[in-house]
Amino acid sequence: MARRTKRIRVTVNGERYEKEVSPSKSLLDFLRMDLNLTGTKEGCGEGECGACSIIMNGKLVDSCLILTVEADGQKIQTIEGISRHDRLHPLQKAFAEKGAAQCGYCTPGMIMAAKYLLDHNPSPTAEQVLKAIAGNLCRCTGYGSIVDAVLSAAKER
Amino acid sequence: MKVVGQGLPRVEILEKVTGESVFGADVRLAAPILIGKILGSPHAHARIKSIDARKAERLPGVKAVVTAQDLPPVKYGRFVRDEEYFAHKKVRLVGDKIAAVAAIDEETAEEAIKLIKVEYEVLPHFTDGVEAMREGAALIHEEYDQYQALSMVEGRKGNICYHKQTVQGDTNRGFQEAERIFEHSFYAPMVHQTYIEPHAVLARVDASGKATVWVPTQAQFFIRASIAEIFQLPLIKVRVIPTEIGGGFGGKMLPTIEPAAVALARKSGMAVQIVMSRAEDFQVANPRTPCHLRYKTGVKLDGTIMAREVELVFGTGAYCGNGLVICQRAEMLASGPYRIPNVKIDLFCAYTNHANCGPYRAPSGPQISFASESQIDIIARELNLDPVEMRLKNAIEEGDTTPACGGPLKSVHAKETLLKAAEAAGWKERRREKNRGRGIALGYWLVGGMASSAGVKLNEDGTATVMTGVIDLSGTVTSLGQIVAEVLGVELDDVHVRTADSDFAPHSTISAGSQALRSMGSATKWAAEEVKKQIMEVAADKLEAEVSDLVVEGKRVYVKGSPERGLSLGQVGQLSLTHKRGPIVSIQSVSIFPNQPAISAHVTDVEVNPETGAVKVLRYVAAQDVGTAINPLSVMGQVQGAVIQGLGQALTEECIFQNGRMINPTFLDYKIFSSLDAPRVEVHLVEHAAEDGPFGAKGIGEPSIIPVPAAVANAVYDAVGVRISDLPLTAEKILMAIQEKNKSG
């Protein structure tokens, strides 16, 4: 079936892409299906769980709530783009060491939310960390180890 | 011990923090993948008059439509064979599967679903177990007495799919001997596991007819068996490849969308992926069984419990499913971790028109503890006893039994765990403040074990590989690696361990019941010990020494007292290839284990806002009896996570139904705890190596969720003097109770 598509240009993790996309496709689906960047997860598709959190033009967003066409011309960073070669981001290292990832499904979104925090507030308090990740649900850890990891990564940086 | 007992990061952690891990919806193939969707019933209970899928089949882009006609006419069910995969005569819940379609994209699949026309005759429905059990209630399964069922499924009648009475002693005599008798009723509604990863599956059927299924499951061998049964295939024609699993908590064991994906793949000849939406997952996946609980307890004035009668009614859902697992657990846990001479337990499992309830982290545990421990609190207050003292007086000790526990209990540390929590919380030194309260509750759980096998092989460079099919939920796989490293005298980095699929792994137990580590860890430890023996045998020949004189340690094997007379494990690995015994490898099996108690004791401080009824958890102290903590980082994480989940069940979570449809199937309306709601959990481990289990480990995945609702309810009473007997303890209920109390007060 012929469906209307729109050509977009987008920079994801430093790579430039030009693609034909359906106007109804979410940015999350575009990342996962068209670019095969499956690190960003879908937990609800309604902007309630934060598993799909990414950074777009310096803002933390739920990629499930954004249409791909809205990302035209934008710069996007996902979990795949925050470690360089084999060097982990301090948050990734701290999440590993502090037991801040159990099942790991919320982890990519959680790390992106934490990165957004540290990008704007390099030495947050525990209270500020709790606020920064309030839009990211985790069902495994109870959040304490995540706060520890973010505080530890902030010190490391 | 060098490696066991270390809080090491999980072996798969780097994949997880980098986003590399492949979860259910992340599997990609070289061949194109169709998108599958399921048509579920809009009615909770209805007769199907006709199904017409012709229009859907003709829609361009649709590659397959399947209904009951495409499957063998098989009735299945672990305890009662009461379920058919696709409904064709009747639907018994909103979302009961009628058909599935596979199309080139999601939009087409959704359009095709809408084109399937089904005519229904709507029937009366029940979402409450007690209502469904009433005399004369419309039958959810008219032909229930023709179903095949296991002989243990007692008391099937009408909408009751299981009724069992368990008696210990004589409760009539016990109540006569008691000086006070207390009777209370409680209710715990359906709650959902809400793993953040919804159910997802990818299936392909190859030219030989073999089905391969990629799925995040807690029970790969059970899923394999279920698919084989539904399609009438030998087990070797089904391969289950477990993906990384984004949380399960008991909800990812029964087959849900997997058979539909296989049916569509078979019919279309292409790979098919199905991913549940969050709303579908809430509506049809396997939530915690709602439960009505009645407790009658007779005590002496000094607090000694003389008799306890318990009646539990579980609404199991439209099919029996794993309903009996919950009942069997409840039978063991219902009277609590107490020494009670006279106990009678009546368990009812009723068919109801909602999702098939399944195990959820400590099945029946939190419901039972909520009722039992709320009542113990009420009794202690009535008798002017300290709640800790009352529990100490009755708590089980070494060699005691509780109903259906399977014999005298060993490795019992109930009193120590209780005292540890009380002491850590400063139970005795508290200061009273207005609207603030403190509550204590015990959790009772028994960890057993199930048939399991695992293998260990020594590689030619001295590293070791573990062959296991166990699913990793709580860090089990890492702990298996630590066990092998400990036995072979190497580091965790020298051991490779990941979950293998059903074609290649020896049979592994399900990751549920807090017994995976106990079962799999034992099999793995025995295999590692056998590998160690083989290492010594090969080394003894080369070193011209007696096996009994050899030591395996520090990645080497050497003669006791002369470390220079030795070989590296790498040398042994190489030698084994030319040695008469051949490559070094062992697979070992274990069977059933006796039950051991894993007791939780929790103390919480809360503040209740008298204007709104809202509860704020100020402090949470959890003591947990764990046997040996193989990996304390994992163990602490399990306790913390379980407590926060339990707080949701205590305060905010409830599946709400209207006309059989869950009306709050979103994270906005079904409120799980966010970072802003969650207190810090102070964890205190009670560590005594248990009599069996690898290095004395018990189980840890479940027990710490059990006492949470009761601890909170007891703290709320302590704060504002109102007793809420139905979960969750919402602000609304508490406020209304406060107003009621003030009116009458």
Side-chain angles (χ1 to χ4, degrees):
Chain A
M1 270 193 311
R3 288 210 166 99
R4 283 186 311 128
T5 59
K6 189 175 184 298
R7 176 163 292 269
I8 63 148
R9 276 183 220 168
V10 61
T11 305
V12 181
N13 301 329
E15 296 273 334
R16 295 171 70 167
Y17 298 90
E18 204 172 321
K19 294 258 180 190
E20 290 285 334
V21 297
S22 147
S24 63
K25 182 172 255 174
S26 73
L27 181 55
L28 173 61
D29 280 351
F30 174 74
L31 292 170
R32 290 180 49 82
M33 312 302 278
D34 295 34
L35 304 188
N36 261 333
L37 294 171
T38 55
T40 306
K41 305 299 180 198
E42 177 163 348
C44 68
E46 298 179 334
E48 291 162 5
C49 76
C52 64
S53 301
I54 58 163
I55 294 174
M56 183 161 92
N57 274 4
K59 280 188 181 154
L60 183 70
V61 295
D62 288 331
S63 59
C64 74
L65 292 183
I66 293 173
L67 293 173
T68 314
V69 290
E70 296 176 85
D72 191 14
Q74 314 273 334
K75 275 193 184 139
I76 287 166
Q77 193 176 40
T78 70
I79 187 70
E80 288 92 346
I82 71 163
S83 46
R84 296 246 156 73
H85 308 293
D86 56 353
R87 282 234 335 265
L88 293 178
H89 189 279
L91 277 166
Q92 292 172 310
K93 208 165 148 265
F95 266 61
E97 282 165 3
K98 300 286 179 187
Q102 287 184 22
C103 84
Y105 197 78
C106 75
T107 307
M110 196 65 85
I111 289 178
M112 295 313 285
K115 179 176 185 292
Y116 176 78
L117 170 71
L118 296 191
D119 286 349
H120 294 83
N121 179 359
S123 42
T125 63
E127 199 69 15
Q128 287 168 330
V129 176
L130 287 169
K131 273 196 185 138
I133 60 167
N136 294 73
L137 296 176
C138 169
R139 193 61 157 165
C140 297
T141 63
Y143 305 101
S145 54
I146 294 175
V147 175
D148 292 345
V150 178
L151 294 177
S152 148
K155 266 193 209 140
E156 191 81 356
R157 287 211 323 175
Chain B
M1 285 188 289
K2 289 183 175 148
V3 189
V4 163
Q6 300 290 318
L8 300 170
R10 295 166 74 128
V11 293
E12 79 294 355
I13 196 69
L14 295 184
E15 290 110 278
K16 283 181 175 168
V17 297
T18 53
E20 281 173 24
S21 294
V22 175
F23 289 87
D26 299 339
V27 184
R28 300 287 182 267
L29 301 175
I33 295 173
L34 300 176
I35 301 297
K37 290 273 166 196
I38 291 177
L39 172 66
S41 162
H43 304 293
H45 194 194
R47 236 178 281 288
I48 298 173
K49 292 164 72 181
S50 66
I51 302 171
D52 183 355
R54 283 171 300 183
K55 272 192 185 163
E57 280 165 352
R58 287 198 298 263
L59 184 72
V62 169
K63 300 292 182 186
V65 178
V66 289
T67 61
Q69 290 179 339
D70 296 278
L71 297 184
V74 173
K75 279 199 169 64
Y76 63 95
R78 195 170 155 200
F79 298 97
V80 182
R81 292 178 172 275
D82 58 2
E83 190 165 0
E84 286 174 283
Y85 188 73
F86 285 116
H88 55 104
K89 286 184 192 152
K90 257 182 98 171
V91 287
R92 297 181 174 90
L93 69 137
V94 169
D96 217 354
K97 302 172 294 297
I98 294 163
V101 301
I104 51 167
D105 58 28
E106 192 167 359
E107 284 167 321
T108 310
E110 277 168 1
E111 221 174 307
I113 285 289
K114 287 183 200 146
L115 292 174
I116 301 173
K117 291 283 166 258
V118 185
E119 282 186 299
Y120 300 95
E121 177 196 336
V122 177
L123 301 167
H125 71 274
F126 310 96
T127 46
D128 182 82
V130 170
E131 278 177 33
M133 278 168 42
R134 285 219 176 97
E135 220 29 65
L139 291 182
I140 296 171
H141 293 267
E142 287 94 341
E143 65 281 33
Y144 74 89
D145 53 353
Q146 289 151 41
Y147 291 158
Q148 286 175 28
L150 297 185
S151 59
M152 55 177 291
V153 190
E154 300 172 25
R156 293 200 299 128
K157 186 170 185 268
N159 287 335
I160 298 171
C161 78
Y162 180 63
H163 170 221
K164 186 179 182 191
Q165 188 174 77
T166 299
V167 180
Q168 172 180 296
D170 176 353
T171 48
N172 288 333
R173 200 183 62 216
F175 286 125
Q176 275 164 19
E177 287 164 7
E179 291 169 295
R180 293 281 303 273
I181 294 173
F182 296 86
E183 281 191 78
H184 296 96
S185 296
F186 299 88
Y187 180 65
M190 180 192 289
V191 289
H192 196 283
Q193 295 87 348
T194 67
Y195 28 74
I196 308 298
E197 178 199 33
H199 280 265
V201 64
L202 177 69
R204 182 172 68 183
V205 178
D206 69 22
S208 76
K210 177 160 180 163
T212 302
V213 179
W214 289 263
V215 61
T217 174
Q218 296 172 242
Q220 59 163 317
F221 291 96
F222 183 67
I223 293 290
R224 179 177 72 159
S226 302
I227 293 170
E229 186 175 26
I230 289 167
F231 290 90
Q232 296 287 291
L233 292 168
L235 291 174
I236 53 170
K237 286 288 185 189
V238 181
R239 179 180 181 191
V240 173
I241 303 182
T243 66
E244 201 60 67
I245 177 168
F249 312 113
K252 291 178 180 167
M253 288 200 282
L254 291 171
T256 54
I257 48 181
E258 300 85 354
V262 172
L264 291 167
R266 195 168 64 164
K267 195 160 178 182
S268 67
M270 294 173 73
V272 176
Q273 183 191 54
I274 304 179
V275 180
M276 278 193 195
S277 70
R278 180 55 59 182
E280 276 177 296
D281 202 304
F282 265 118
Q283 188 76 49
V284 303
N286 321 120
R288 195 190 285 288
T289 326
C291 186
H292 292 271
L293 310 99
R294 280 202 321 131
Y295 273 74
K296 180 177 174 186
T297 304
V299 291
K300 293 277 193 194
L301 292 178
D302 68 357
T304 308
I305 306 174
M306 301 307 294
R308 207 160 206 201
E309 283 183 1
V310 182
E311 188 189 285
L312 305 177
V313 178
F314 291 102
T316 196
Y319 304 97
C320 178
N322 265 334
L324 258 74
V325 173
I326 285 86
C327 289
Q328 286 171 326
R329 274 284 154 188
E331 184 184 0
M332 290 192 263
L333 308 179
S335 55
Y338 300 114
R339 181 194 285 169
I340 307 175
N342 308 294
V343 178
K344 186 160 96 181
I345 301 164
D346 268 289
L347 291 159
F348 293 90
C349 187
Y351 285 123
T352 38
N353 295 110
H354 56 59
N356 214 181
C357 293
Y360 172 7
R361 201 173 204 164
S364 82
Q367 299 102 306
I368 281 170
S369 169
F370 171 59
S372 165
E373 291 293 296
S374 290
Q375 193 187 44
I376 297 286
D377 205 64
I378 295 168
I379 297 172
R381 285 169 186 280
E382 283 286 321
L383 300 181
N384 270 321
L385 296 170
D386 180 279
V388 173
E389 293 302 323
M390 161 119 192
R391 288 176 170 87
L392 276 177
K393 187 178 270 301
N394 295 287
I396 46 169
E397 292 188 317
E398 198 72 13
D400 280 345
T401 57
T402 54
C405 73
L409 294 167
K410 291 180 176 171
S411 307
V412 182
H413 306 290
K415 292 184 179 179
E416 186 184 339
T417 309
L418 176 59
L419 288 171
K420 192 151 197 167
E423 194 185 322
W427 182 258
K428 288 195 171 137
E429 308 84 66
R430 62 175 301 208
R431 220 178 61 230
R432 276 225 73 100
E433 284 173 85
K434 201 164 189 295
N435 299 321
R436 289 191 173 192
R438 174 173 286 179
I440 190 163
L442 282 182
Y444 189 33
W445 188 251
L446 291 163
V447 285
M450 291 164 83
S452 299
S453 50
V456 176
K457 60 179 176 178
L458 185 75
N459 299 309
E460 306 90 281
D461 63 351
T463 57
T465 301
V466 184
M467 293 171 277
T468 176
V470 76
I471 306 299
D472 198 2
L473 294 174
S474 53
T476 306
V477 161
T478 301
S479 294
L480 295 185
Q482 287 178 264
I483 287 167
V484 171
E486 187 69 46
V487 172
L488 297 184
V490 300
E491 303 295 328
L492 180 58
D493 284 345
D494 300 316
V495 180
H496 175 77
V497 52
R498 289 291 196 283
T499 307
D501 70 63
S502 67
D503 266 4
F504 297 99
H507 185 92
S508 304
T509 178
I510 55 176
S511 287
S514 300
Q515 52 76 46
L517 178 63
R518 198 148 173 253
S519 312
M520 292 302 299
S522 297
T524 304
K525 182 162 180 266
W526 294 352
E529 282 164 353
E530 176 59 29
V531 161
K532 184 176 167 182
K533 261 191 229 159
Q534 294 176 16
I535 288 170
M536 290 160 87
E537 207 182 304
V538 171
D541 281 354
K542 180 72 180 178
L543 298 171
E544 295 176 344
E546 291 296 318
V547 165
S548 55
D549 289 336
L550 295 181
V551 180
V552 179
E553 189 187 60
K555 309 186 193 189
R556 282 169 54 79
V557 48
Y558 59 86
V559 178
K560 217 175 286 169
S562 19
E564 73 292 343
R565 248 185 90 199
L567 298 164
S568 70
L569 293 189
Q571 285 172 312
V572 176
Q574 284 289 345
L575 274 172
S576 73
L577 302 183
T578 50
H579 187 269
K580 61 180 185 286
R581 67 149 300 110
I584 293 176
V585 60
S586 170
I587 294 181
Q588 296 292 321
S589 295
V590 297
S591 134
I592 316 286
F593 286 78
N595 282 321
Q596 281 173 347
I599 301 288
S600 331
H602 291 186
V603 179
T604 184
D605 291 347
V606 306
E607 181 168 45
V608 180
N609 182 330
E611 303 300 321
T612 64
V615 176
K616 187 172 166 53
V617 181
L618 303 172
R619 188 176 178 207
Y620 207 100
V621 175
Q624 182 62 47
D625 164 27
V626 297
T628 301
I630 302 280
N631 183 322
L633 186 69
S634 297
V635 168
M636 301 298 254
Q638 287 303 303
V639 178
Q640 289 162 343
V643 167
I644 301 304
Q645 238 175 53
L647 285 173
Q649 194 175 345
L651 292 166
T652 57
E653 295 181 34
E654 178 178 12
C655 299
I656 302 168
F657 288 88
Q658 210 169 66
N659 291 326
R661 179 179 291 278
M662 182 177 167
I663 56 168
N664 59 332
T666 66
F667 283 128
L668 203 60
D669 295 323
Y670 183 98
K671 174 85 174 89
I672 71 171
F673 265 42
S674 78
S675 59
L676 296 179
D677 309 305
R680 270 284 164 160
V681 182
E682 300 165 40
V683 182
H684 300 272
L685 301 184
V686 174
E687 281 202 77
H688 298 289
E691 208 164 84
D692 48 25
F695 294 103
K698 289 185 177 177
I700 189 59
E702 292 160 302
S704 296
I705 198 172
I706 296 174
V708 184
V712 173
N714 293 342
V716 166
Y717 182 86
D718 191 52
V720 289
V722 299
R723 180 66 62 181
I724 308 296
S725 55
D726 60 322
L727 291 174
L729 279 70
T730 57
E732 190 185 1
K733 284 183 204 167
I734 293 172
L735 182 63
M736 279 164 65
I738 291 173
Q739 287 170 348
E740 196 63 31
K741 179 171 165 267
N742 291 344
K743 240 189 271 169
S744 58

Coordinates of all heavy atoms in Angstrom, one line a residue, chain B residues 39-43 45-50 91 96 98 117-122:
Chain B
L39 N -6.6 -10.3 18.4 CA -7.9 -9.8 18.7 C -8.4 -10.5 20.0 O -8.5 -11.7 20.1 CB -8.9 -10.2 17.5 CG -10.4 -9.9 17.8 CD1 -10.6 -8.4 17.9 CD2 -11.3 -10.6 16.7
G40 N -8.7 -9.6 21.0 CA -9.2 -10.1 22.2 C -10.6 -9.7 22.4 O -11.2 -8.8 21.8
S41 N -11.3 -10.5 23.2 CA -12.7 -10.3 23.4 C -13.0 -8.9 24.1 O -12.3 -8.6 25.1 CB -13.3 -11.4 24.3 OG -14.5 -11.0 24.9
P42 N -14.0 -8.2 23.7 CA -14.4 -7.0 24.4 C -15.3 -7.3 25.6 O -15.6 -6.4 26.4 CB -15.2 -6.2 23.3 CG -15.8 -7.2 22.5 CD -14.8 -8.4 22.5
H43 N -15.8 -8.5 25.7 CA -16.7 -8.9 26.8 C -16.0 -9.8 27.8 O -15.1 -10.6 27.4 CB -17.9 -9.6 26.2 CG -18.6 -8.8 25.2 ND1 -19.3 -7.7 25.5 CD2 -18.8 -9.0 23.9 CE1 -19.9 -7.2 24.4 NE2 -19.5 -8.0 23.4
H45 N -17.6 -12.1 29.6 CA -18.1 -13.4 29.5 C -19.2 -13.5 28.4 O -20.2 -12.7 28.5 CB -18.8 -13.8 30.9 CG -19.1 -15.3 31.1 ND1 -19.9 -15.7 32.1 CD2 -18.7 -16.3 30.4 CE1 -20.0 -17.0 32.0 NE2 -19.3 -17.4 31.0
A46 N -19.0 -14.2 27.4 CA -20.0 -14.2 26.3 C -19.8 -15.5 25.5 O -18.8 -16.1 25.5 CB -19.8 -13.0 25.4
R47 N -20.9 -15.9 24.9 CA -20.9 -17.0 23.9 C -20.5 -16.4 22.5 O -21.0 -15.3 22.2 CB -22.2 -17.7 23.8 CG -22.2 -19.1 24.2 CD -23.6 -19.8 24.1 NE -24.3 -19.6 25.3 CZ -24.0 -20.1 26.5 NH1 -23.0 -21.0 26.6 NH2 -24.8 -19.9 27.6
I48 N -19.7 -17.1 21.8 CA -19.3 -16.7 20.5 C -20.3 -17.3 19.5 O -20.5 -18.5 19.5 CB -17.9 -17.1 20.1 CG1 -16.9 -16.5 21.1 CG2 -17.6 -16.7 18.6 CD1 -15.5 -17.0 20.9
K49 N -21.0 -16.4 18.8 CA -22.0 -16.9 17.8 C -21.4 -17.2 16.4 O -21.7 -18.1 15.7 CB -23.2 -16.0 17.7 CG -24.0 -16.0 19.0 CD -25.0 -14.9 19.2 CE -26.2 -15.0 18.2 NZ -27.1 -13.8 18.4
S50 N -20.5 -16.3 16.1 CA -19.8 -16.4 14.8 C -18.5 -15.6 14.7 O -18.4 -14.6 15.4 CB -20.7 -16.0 13.6 OG -20.9 -14.6 13.7
V91 N -16.0 -16.8 25.3 CA -14.9 -16.0 25.9 C -15.2 -15.8 27.4 O -16.3 -15.7 27.8 CB -14.8 -14.6 25.2 CG1 -14.2 -14.7 23.8 CG2 -16.1 -13.8 25.2
D96 N -9.8 -12.2 26.1 CA -9.6 -13.7 25.7 C -9.4 -13.7 24.2 O -10.0 -13.0 23.4 CB -10.9 -14.4 26.1 CG -10.7 -15.8 26.6 OD1 -9.5 -16.2 26.6 OD2 -11.6 -16.5 27.0
I98 N -9.2 -14.5 20.4 CA -10.1 -15.1 19.4 C -9.4 -15.3 18.1 O -9.6 -16.3 17.4 CB -11.3 -14.1 19.2 CG1 -12.1 -14.1 20.5 CG2 -12.1 -14.6 18.0 CD1 -13.0 -12.9 20.6
K117 N -15.0 -9.8 12.2 CA -16.3 -9.6 12.8 C -16.6 -10.8 13.7 O -16.6 -12.0 13.3 CB -17.4 -9.5 11.7 CG -17.2 -8.2 10.9 CD -17.8 -7.0 11.7 CE -17.4 -5.7 11.1 NZ -16.2 -5.0 11.8
V118 N -17.0 -10.5 14.9 CA -17.4 -11.6 15.9 C -18.7 -11.2 16.5 O -18.9 -10.1 16.9 CB -16.3 -11.7 17.0 CG1 -16.7 -12.9 17.9 CG2 -14.9 -11.9 16.5
E119 N -19.6 -12.2 16.5 CA -20.9 -11.9 17.1 C -21.0 -12.6 18.4 O -20.5 -13.8 18.5 CB -22.1 -12.5 16.2 CG -22.4 -11.6 15.0 CD -23.6 -12.2 14.3 OE1 -23.5 -13.3 13.8 OE2 -24.6 -11.5 14.3
Y120 N -21.4 -11.9 19.4 CA -21.5 -12.5 20.8 C -22.9 -12.5 21.4 O -23.7 -11.7 21.0 CB -20.6 -11.6 21.7 CG -19.2 -11.4 21.4 CD1 -18.8 -10.3 20.6 CD2 -18.2 -12.3 21.8 CE1 -17.4 -10.1 20.3 CE2 -16.9 -12.2 21.5 CZ -16.5 -11.0 20.8 OH -15.2 -10.9 20.5
E121 N -23.0 -13.4 22.3 CA -24.2 -13.4 23.2 C -23.6 -13.2 24.6 O -23.0 -14.0 25.1 CB -25.0 -14.7 23.1 CG -26.2 -14.8 24.0 CD -26.6 -16.2 24.2 OE1 -26.4 -17.1 23.3 OE2 -27.2 -16.5 25.2
V122 N -23.9 -12.0 25.1 CA -23.2 -11.6 26.4 C -23.8 -12.4 27.6 O -25.1 -12.5 27.7 CB -23.3 -10.1 26.6 CG1 -22.7 -9.7 27.9 CG2 -22.5 -9.4 25.4

